Amino acid sequence: MTDPAQNRWMLLNVLRVGGIITMAVGLLIWKKNIGGYQDELVGKVIFLAGLFETLVIPALLRRAWRSKDVGGK
């Protein structure tokens, strides 16, 4: 059986790495116009989505898990 804390840690790291990759792709589209996108707005939106995934979602999950663990005891 796996530990729930280990699963949570893995999920947080996957979110962070995925967000960094998304930010890199968005930055490339924004600055280098790769992928056939000529509008830099597409790159900016993708970059901001990756930033949100990297910084905000893990913080929200940690807060939800912390309040759930404290309330359950």
Side-chain angles (χ1 to χ4, degrees):
M1 299 199 21
T2 59
D3 184 21
Q6 184 179 10
N7 291 337
R8 292 175 180 180
W9 179 82
M10 185 62 79
L11 177 62
L12 290 176
N13 285 316
V14 166
L15 283 171
R16 288 181 187 126
V17 170
I20 290 171
I21 292 170
T22 304
M23 286 173 29
V25 169
L27 192 62
L28 285 173
I29 291 172
W30 177 12
K31 295 295 183 182
K32 303 287 185 183
N33 294 329
I34 65 163
Y37 297 108
Q38 298 302 318
D39 190 11
E40 66 181 30
L41 180 62
V42 173
K44 289 179 182 179
V45 169
I46 293 172
F47 180 82
L48 289 175
L51 187 66
F52 183 78
E53 181 183 352
T54 302
L55 298 176
V56 177
I57 293 177
L60 292 174
L61 284 174
R62 279 194 309 268
R63 181 178 297 168
W65 289 332
R66 188 177 314 133
S67 64
K68 185 175 162 184
D69 291 340
V70 171
K73 288 184 179 179

